[in-house]
Amino acid sequence: EIVLTQSPGTLSLSPGERATLSCRASQSVSSSYLAWYQQKPGQAPRLLIYGASSRATGIPDRFSGSGSGTDFTLTISRLEPEDFAVYYCQQYGSPWTFGQGTKVEIK
Amino acid sequence: EVQLVESGGVVVQPGGSLRLSCAASGFTFDDYAMHWVRQAPGKGLEWVSLISWDGGSTYYADSVKGRFTISRDNSKNSLYLQMNSLRAEDTALYYCAKDMGYYDYVWGSYRYDAFDIWGQGTMVTVSS
């Protein structure tokens, strides 16, 4: 089973700042089968990025994903008020696994 | 509108059984694999199970293997999760989610992908 470790656990930033979230896999993620999700309190997760770097439908271009192998990054170029949430990375293979999440909070 | 609606969550005693349902609409249900994902109160996401587009293949997390059974009825656009021998640690919000992959007719296999549609979840509480 591939274990995903996200860092930091919490990121305290102000609106307008850049957010950089890390996701490290315990072994190589094949074919960049790596996704990022956003979850706000009381809501279901929402797909942001798939294939490590492709934005899902309707996702603003301030969200970008990069990386390959075992190291992946989600970048939010300029934080908007609605971006403060918890972010999860996921690898999709058998079995599918999620990271433990990074909370982006208002500083 | 593309939508997934879960139902069936209740309070159940340890050792009990429960069946969750997920009704799909707005897309061709039998073209896609489907998943169950759960989230314990205040915790992160845990993948639970997958069923292939035709129901022919199923996969389970080790934590539920042998106790949970995933199934689907494509004629009813519905996904199910039969949960037996429930434990306190199964207490969670259970989401169904659509896999955005596709069947690759060139290679003769399904290419799994990320989860692009999620329901709002149904709460299962295991407690005496």
Side-chain angles (χ1 to χ4, degrees):
Chain A
E1 173 178 315
I2 297 178
V3 176
L4 300 178
T5 303
Q6 294 186 239
S7 61
T10 302
L11 201 49
S12 298
L13 295 168
S14 300
E17 290 194 292
R18 181 184 187 90
T20 303
L21 287 66
S22 173
C23 178
R24 178 161 291 179
S26 60
Q27 52 188 285
S28 184
V29 176
S30 61
S31 304
S32 294
Y33 285 172
L34 194 287
W36 291 92
Y37 299 84
Q38 176 193 68
Q39 188 178 34
K40 297 179 182 178
Q43 296 185 17
R46 177 173 73 144
L47 176 65
L48 299 176
I49 300 287
Y50 63 96
S53 60
S54 298
R55 270 189 302 276
T57 302
I59 301 303
D61 59 8
R62 64 180 181 273
F63 290 92
S64 64
S66 63
S68 64
T70 60
D71 289 295
F72 299 87
T73 301
L74 175 70
T75 301
I76 311 171
S77 59
R78 285 175 48 249
L79 283 163
E80 297 288 340
E82 62 268 26
D83 299 336
F84 292 91
V86 179
Y87 294 83
Y88 294 94
C89 60
Q90 176 210 31
Q91 64 86 24
Y92 35 103
S94 182
W96 287 251
T97 53
F98 290 90
Q100 82 278 19
T102 289
K103 182 180 182 180
V104 178
E105 65 176 22
I106 300 177
K107 186 175 182 180
Chain B
E1 181 192 4
V2 177
Q3 197 173 12
L4 296 171
V5 179
E6 302 94 336
S7 61
V10 291
V11 178
V12 61
Q13 291 190 338
S17 297
L18 196 57
R19 189 173 91 149
L20 305 183
S21 300
C22 171
S25 59
F27 64 97
T28 306
F29 183 68
D30 56 10
D31 276 352
Y32 298 98
M34 295 292 295
H35 300 260
W36 286 99
V37 176
R38 68 184 181 183
Q39 187 169 34
K43 303 297 184 183
L45 302 170
E46 179 188 15
W47 174 79
V48 172
S49 185
L50 154 80
I51 188 166
S52 60
W53 60 279
D54 62 352
S57 297
T58 57
Y59 299 90
Y60 299 92
D62 286 345
S63 58
V64 307
K65 201 173 293 183
R67 300 188 299 123
F68 290 10
T69 302
I70 191 171
S71 62
R72 65 191 295 162
D73 185 339
N74 286 345
S75 69
K76 296 182 178 179
N77 289 349
S78 292
L79 174 72
Y80 306 102
L81 185 68
Q82 177 67 42
M83 309 165 68
N84 297 332
S85 302
L86 282 161
R87 306 167 180 167
E89 54 265 36
D90 296 319
T91 294
L93 186 62
Y94 284 74
Y95 295 102
C96 63
K98 170 185 167 288
D99 192 293
M100 59 183 276
Y102 62 96
Y103 190 84
D104 187 330
Y105 287 93
V106 173
W107 291 98
S109 63
Y110 192 95
R111 291 188 174 273
Y112 295 102
D113 210 317
F115 305 171
D116 62 340
I117 305 297
W118 296 66
Q120 284 304 302
T122 187
M123 187 67 200
V124 174
T125 303
V126 183
S127 173
S128 54

